Amino acid sequence: MKTNTIVKILVDIGMTIILMLLMAYELVGRQAHEWLGMSIFVLFILHHVLNRKWAKSIFKGKYTLFRGFQTIVVFIILMTMLGSMVSGIMLSEYVFAFVKPGSGYEIFRNIHMLSAYWGFVFMSIHIGTNVGVMTGMIKKTKAYKSKSGRFIFISVPILISCYGIYAFYKRLIWQYMFLISHFVFLDYSEPLVFFMADYFSVMVLFATVGHYLSKFLQSLSTRKA
């Protein structure tokens, strides 16, 4: 495997882990939350530098349904990342404590919540649209070539996704996405690992949706061709 590919994978893994920790908010502490936010923004920039060829070709070539979908997802992620960063700076109590939002505090808090939860969902979908390299590597293994291996490879993400549907409602993520609730409810007595497990299952849910939707769109493009 090429060094550039390894670096890309490590950056993406780092972003995924930090994203999960960011969703825990006060369970990891406000100061840690702010530094994690800075870290994911740096990795986000590095991710785009490493994938600059994709950015350079955005206005080139023919757009298929899949490419259009993928581009829209990336654009939404960019908007949510910028929204999270700007609002995060305005709400900062540690890293950018010198910045004061004044009367706009509530507006920035709402922007931060919307950006965080919509960003989490679309980043998860984005992961699903780009798991081709990983699945390709798995399909080359001896384990996958067996019937039981293929069954596990397909069924495990689906089973986790089923629990992810429950966790999506249990954790009130849908309410935060539409500002039905303006406050995030956290159980401070709950071990962080349980919270992370639920959010991981939600991430797998939307990554699975993104993966199969991508395959569907690619098949439609193939039929038209």
Side-chain angles (χ1 to χ4, degrees):
M1 190 181 293
K2 295 180 179 179
T3 303
N4 191 50
T5 303
I6 295 173
V7 174
K8 285 182 180 179
I9 292 173
L10 291 175
V11 169
D12 291 346
I13 291 174
M15 288 180 66
T16 302
I17 294 172
I18 293 174
L19 177 62
M20 297 281 291
L21 290 170
L22 281 170
M23 302 313 293
Y25 187 43
E26 290 191 357
L27 292 180
V28 299
R30 294 190 180 187
Q31 187 170 3
H33 178 82
E34 291 188 19
W35 284 111
L36 286 168
M38 289 293 295
S39 299
I40 199 171
F41 190 70
V42 171
L43 289 179
F44 180 76
I45 294 173
L46 180 57
H47 172 82
H48 282 276
V49 170
L50 292 170
N51 292 278
R52 58 189 177 277
K53 287 184 180 180
W54 183 89
K56 289 179 180 179
S57 64
I58 194 169
F59 295 112
K60 300 177 182 178
K62 181 181 178 182
Y63 265 80
T64 60
L65 289 172
F66 168 67
R67 189 184 178 192
F69 168 69
Q70 194 178 42
T71 303
I72 290 171
V73 170
V74 171
F75 177 76
I76 293 174
I77 291 173
L78 175 61
M79 292 298 101
T80 58
M81 183 61 72
L82 291 174
S84 292
M85 195 63 195
V86 172
S87 60
I89 290 172
M90 299 305 294
L91 299 172
S92 175
E93 297 177 3
Y94 298 95
V95 183
F96 298 98
F98 55 89
V99 180
K100 304 296 180 184
S103 59
Y105 182 86
E106 289 298 322
I107 294 174
F108 286 114
R109 190 167 64 80
N110 288 338
I111 291 174
H112 199 67
M113 179 176 282
L114 286 172
S115 298
Y117 285 94
W118 281 101
F120 175 76
V121 168
F122 275 92
M123 283 185 192
S124 301
I125 292 173
H126 182 61
I127 290 172
T129 64
N130 290 278
V131 295
V133 175
M134 187 179 296
T135 55
M137 291 170 62
I138 293 173
K139 288 178 179 179
K140 292 179 181 178
T141 62
K142 291 181 179 180
Y144 178 82
K145 292 178 181 178
S146 65
K147 289 184 179 180
S148 58
R150 287 194 297 273
F151 175 77
I152 293 172
F153 178 74
I154 295 171
S155 62
V156 169
I158 293 175
L159 289 173
I160 296 175
S161 297
C162 289
Y163 179 78
I165 296 172
Y166 166 73
F168 182 75
Y169 283 93
K170 171 190 172 185
R171 296 292 177 176
L172 305 179
I173 296 174
W174 61 280
Q175 291 192 13
Y176 305 145
M177 289 176 68
F178 294 98
L179 289 182
I180 295 173
S181 174
H182 290 257
F183 298 94
V184 178
F185 297 97
L186 298 171
D187 180 0
Y188 296 101
S189 64
E190 177 186 34
L192 179 61
V193 65
F194 291 164
F195 180 93
M196 297 284 282
D198 277 1
Y199 268 78
F200 175 74
S201 67
V202 175
M203 179 178 283
V204 172
L205 166 64
F206 285 103
T208 302
V209 170
H211 175 64
Y212 283 104
L213 181 56
S214 295
K215 289 184 70 174
F216 174 70
L217 293 175
Q218 286 173 324
S219 67
L220 287 180
S221 299
T222 303
R223 289 174 189 173
K224 287 184 179 181

